[in-house]
Amino acid sequence: RKKKKIILNNKMSNVSELACTYAALLLQDSGVEVSEANMFKVIEAAGIEVESYWPGIFCKFLKNNSLEDLLQNVGGSSGGAASGPSGDNSGETAQEEEEEEE
């Protein structure tokens, strides 16, 4: 009988997300356009390596969502249904490995 083992691989993803979040906040606070190029400059200056697609994802999201509005609505809840799976592992990728039981 084989037992499945789940391995969480989220370290790089979390670093990339946090770096982009902080870069966007820094740019917004400084009055500089939150663009992919500017985010890369801030992240590079901080000496952080991120997966290349993260700044683009953040910028696409912010085209339709004001960062200022998001900051003002932090913690606000409309009591609607959850939009994703519950638990503490949001944003983490899971890989399954099979282990043989002895």
Side-chain angles (χ1 to χ4, degrees):
R1 184 169 144 198
K2 292 183 178 182
K3 186 178 181 181
K4 289 187 178 182
K5 179 180 173 184
I6 296 178
I7 298 174
L8 298 175
N9 182 13
N10 67 348
K11 189 172 185 174
M12 182 63 175
S13 179
N14 283 345
V15 168
S16 296
E17 289 178 53
L18 284 172
C20 289
T21 300
Y22 288 131
L25 290 170
L26 178 84
L27 291 168
Q28 172 77 17
D29 192 49
S30 300
V32 177
E33 177 189 11
V34 181
S35 68
E36 194 171 345
N38 287 340
M39 288 181 72
F40 271 119
K41 288 178 187 177
V42 170
I43 293 166
E44 186 178 276
I48 300 171
E49 289 183 29
V50 299
E51 294 156 332
S52 61
Y53 57 87
W54 278 111
I57 289 174
F58 270 72
C59 289
K60 285 180 184 176
F61 176 76
L62 292 174
K63 279 184 181 178
N64 298 321
N65 301 282
S66 164
L67 188 55
E68 191 171 311
D69 289 343
L70 291 171
L71 291 171
Q72 290 175 357
N73 294 320
V74 171
S77 174
S78 62
S83 61
S86 61
D88 295 330
N89 296 333
S90 62
E92 297 178 348
T93 57
Q95 297 175 346
E96 292 184 5
E97 281 189 6
E98 293 184 4
E99 278 188 3
E100 291 187 29
E101 278 188 23
E102 294 180 23

